[in-house]
Amino acid sequence: MRNDSISGKSVFVTGADGFIGSHLVELLVACGARVRAMTYYNSWNEKGWLRDVPEQTLSSVELFSGDIRDTERVRQGVRGCEYVFHLSSLIAIPYSYDAPRSYVETNVIGATNVLQACRESDTLTRLVHVSTSEVYGSAQQVPIPESHPLVGQSPYSASKIAADKMAESYHLSFGLPVVTARPFNTYGPRQTARAVIPTIASQLLAGRQTLRLGALSPTRDFNFVTDTAAGMLALALTKAAEGEVVNIGSGEEWSIAHTVELLCEIVGSQVEIISDEARIRPEKSEVNRLLADNRKIADLTGWHSELSFRDGLTRTVNWIDRNIAYFDVDDYAK
């Protein structure tokens, strides 16, 4: 399916002010879509990471502030749109141990609001509900297929499993044209220091002689953010994906330790690594391996990752270097 088939279509994106959402908005505008971008309302009129989007691109976007937990506001956002991408989510895993109810309210109730609004819509062509590879827990088979058991190893992953099951129920019960996209570990420009790659890169760029990190042995399927966004668009434009759960991943596996080595090479730095207990998950909650079986998305859409890991890391490092003020590097040393 050609991306230009979405040209002129009305599209609603929740979580548009986030890391992946802002890149998806850029892609949709580049493909000619008419985008309504939902941002989380705040009294400072902050646009989140949409502030990093070129003004020439953003000028054609309808900014739509609100709260995903607000049923009526979500209904207003969906109204009149042909495609909906639901990315709005509370994502930081460590915080989910402290505030699990917040994850239920945002991730489960918020998703239900989107599903119901889409069910009531008379213009909807397709909804892409965005999940996460965290729902699989530690891999029981590698690479991880979409049929892998779902394991709630954190309150965050449990909330996403619940949201995925709500999406499944709306397809089976009401025939809603929804596809559940499960991206693996997306990285790239605009990702905050809650994630391991910007944590490492920002400390290296700040000239730190030591790195404070969590576990180094876990492996991840890192996928550059523009590739992830392209995968979501490909699924939106594929009717055969309706009712399906589909992984979006590179199909390559990198340990945190190896990732540190690559980043050190790119930055040109050598450091000592210190274990930070605050960054280590509870023992039974650690996900040790994440590697996508990406054959399904390739078969359905022809999509595959285009950017190599090293090239993606280089682009990420360059962006962080230009935006180092966003990273509280001094806080890592505490």
Side-chain angles (χ1 to χ4, degrees):
M1 181 72 69
R2 290 163 53 105
N3 285 350
D4 59 8
S5 63
I6 205 167
S7 179
K9 305 296 185 183
S10 297
V11 182
F12 181 49
V13 181
T14 76
D17 48 349
F19 163 46
I20 301 175
S22 61
H23 286 278
L24 178 62
V25 166
E26 282 192 274
L27 174 61
L28 290 167
V29 171
C31 292
R34 294 185 290 116
V35 180
R36 178 181 296 156
M38 187 174 188
T39 63
Y40 184 58
Y41 173 78
N42 61 84
S43 59
W44 299 279
N45 200 31
E46 268 286 336
K47 301 188 291 286
W49 282 120
L50 288 175
R51 66 179 178 265
D52 196 57
V53 173
E55 183 57 36
Q56 184 177 1
T57 297
L58 200 59
S59 63
S60 66
V61 175
E62 177 189 349
L63 297 179
F64 181 88
S65 63
D67 190 320
I68 201 66
R69 298 168 295 182
D70 186 329
T71 303
E72 181 54 33
R73 191 60 172 157
V74 172
R75 185 179 291 118
Q76 292 169 2
V78 169
R79 188 172 298 148
C81 290
E82 297 162 85
Y83 292 88
V84 174
F85 293 84
H86 174 49
L87 285 79
S88 181
S89 187
L90 193 55
I91 57 176
I93 294 171
Y95 184 57
S96 76
Y97 303 126
D98 298 324
R101 182 180 294 273
S102 298
Y103 287 74
V104 173
E105 292 177 352
T106 299
N107 297 350
V108 185
I109 295 175
T112 304
N113 287 340
V114 174
L115 291 162
Q116 184 62 25
C118 287
R119 181 191 173 198
E120 296 169 0
S121 171
D122 58 5
T123 58
L124 183 74
T125 296
R126 197 155 297 113
L127 162 64
V128 177
H129 163 73
V130 178
S131 178
T132 169
S133 58
E134 287 286 335
V135 301
Y136 296 126
S138 290
Q140 298 176 33
Q141 60 186 106
V142 178
I144 299 173
E146 290 82 357
S147 59
H148 188 284
L150 304 180
V151 183
Q153 284 189 217
S154 67
Y156 165 68
S157 63
S159 71
K160 295 298 287 186
I161 290 170
D164 292 359
K165 286 299 182 180
M166 288 301 297
E168 179 183 68
S169 75
Y170 267 70
H171 175 72
L172 296 176
S173 299
F174 311 118
L176 189 71
V178 55
V179 53
T180 295
R182 285 205 180 126
F184 277 61
N185 295 85
T186 302
Y187 73 101
R190 304 177 194 152
Q191 189 173 33
T192 62
R194 66 167 184 81
V196 67
I197 287 176
T199 293
I200 298 166
S202 58
Q203 291 185 75
L204 292 175
L205 288 166
R208 290 286 180 261
Q209 299 301 306
T210 59
L211 284 182
R212 303 185 70 89
L213 298 172
L216 297 177
S217 59
T219 63
R220 297 291 183 259
D221 183 323
F222 289 113
N223 199 43
F224 195 69
V225 63
T226 54
D227 282 330
T228 296
M232 292 176 183
L233 178 55
L235 290 174
L237 298 176
T238 302
K239 183 172 178 54
E242 289 180 7
E244 299 291 336
V245 174
V246 187
N247 290 337
I248 302 177
S250 67
E252 296 182 350
E253 189 175 21
W254 302 86
S255 70
I256 304 304
H258 195 180
T259 301
V260 172
E261 291 177 11
L262 286 173
L263 285 167
C264 285
E265 290 176 12
I266 292 167
V267 175
S269 176
Q270 292 297 322
V271 295
E272 175 190 3
I273 297 175
I274 297 175
S275 178
D276 184 350
E277 291 188 5
R279 289 184 168 272
I280 297 177
R281 302 188 194 185
E283 182 179 354
K284 293 183 178 180
S285 186
E286 179 62 81
V287 174
N288 293 309
R289 295 186 71 185
L290 285 174
L291 174 62
D293 183 336
N294 57 13
R295 290 175 295 178
K296 188 172 185 178
I297 190 171
D299 291 344
L300 284 172
T301 72
W303 175 92
H304 63 275
S305 294
E306 295 186 353
L307 200 66
S308 72
F309 191 39
R310 178 180 283 275
D311 287 345
L313 287 178
T314 300
R315 293 190 189 185
T316 304
V317 166
N318 290 340
W319 182 88
I320 292 174
D321 194 25
R322 296 193 302 270
N323 295 274
I324 196 67
Y326 289 125
F327 298 86
D328 189 2
V329 179
D330 289 339
D331 191 51
Y332 303 147
K334 296 177 181 177

